[in-house]
Amino acid sequence: MADDAVILSSPVAVAAALAGMSPDERARWRTADVPARPSPAERNLDIPFPFGWFPALLSDELKAGEVKPLRYLGQDLVIWRGEDGRARMLDAHCRHLGAHMGYGGRVIGAHLECPFHAWRYDGEGVVHDIPYA
Ligand code: FES
């Protein structure tokens, strides 16, 4: 097997490979087809839910206080890094009226504030503050 044909399967190997890529290269990598990929049954992973590691961003792609929209696994997601340095991710759509919090959402402490009516969510999706309530 040629060196460039090595299949990256461990999270550490994948992270090392991603760290050497430009943002555009990482975006292409995330959505590329995997040639000759064995089926879940061939890998003895025929289980009824997604299984594996799905890197969303490298740590240095998300600064403290930053919010980004993501689309993975057919879902709109929002990821943010709280002022405490921890990254968190939720379904992108606010439970109130469905605003996409990846566009205009802002970080308040460790929470994500919706851009429409300022409901504030923690990383588990629990609403901690509704300003007008
Ligand atoms: S739509 Fe998010 S707070 Fe109203």
Side-chain angles (χ1 to χ4, degrees):
M1 177 183 295
D3 285 345
D4 61 354
V6 171
I7 296 172
L8 298 176
S9 59
S10 83
V12 173
V14 171
L18 291 174
M21 294 179 183
S22 72
D24 286 344
E25 289 170 326
R26 281 194 291 267
R28 283 193 298 276
W29 176 84
R30 288 181 183 121
T31 57
D33 287 333
V34 178
R37 181 182 186 147
S39 72
E42 290 168 326
R43 292 183 292 148
N44 200 25
L45 295 172
D46 199 9
I47 50 181
F49 51 85
F51 179 81
W53 292 92
F54 301 95
L57 295 173
L58 293 180
S59 187
D60 65 2
E61 293 179 295
L62 189 67
K63 309 275 184 270
E66 192 173 12
V67 179
K68 289 187 174 183
L70 294 174
R71 183 155 177 86
Y72 277 93
L73 309 172
Q75 288 189 289
D76 288 319
L77 304 167
V78 60
I79 189 167
W80 75 96
R81 188 179 299 283
E83 293 167 7
D84 60 357
R86 284 192 51 208
R88 297 163 174 91
M89 185 163 48
L90 288 177
D91 183 282
H93 299 284
C94 178
R95 288 191 205 158
H96 181 218
L97 294 177
H100 194 306
M101 298 186 288
Y103 299 97
R106 64 182 187 143
V107 173
I108 306 293
H111 296 159
L112 175 65
E113 184 180 85
C114 178
F116 274 28
H117 310 101
W119 286 25
R120 291 183 185 169
Y121 293 87
D122 69 14
E124 303 297 320
V126 175
V127 176
H128 281 264
D129 189 33
I130 300 174
Y132 49 85

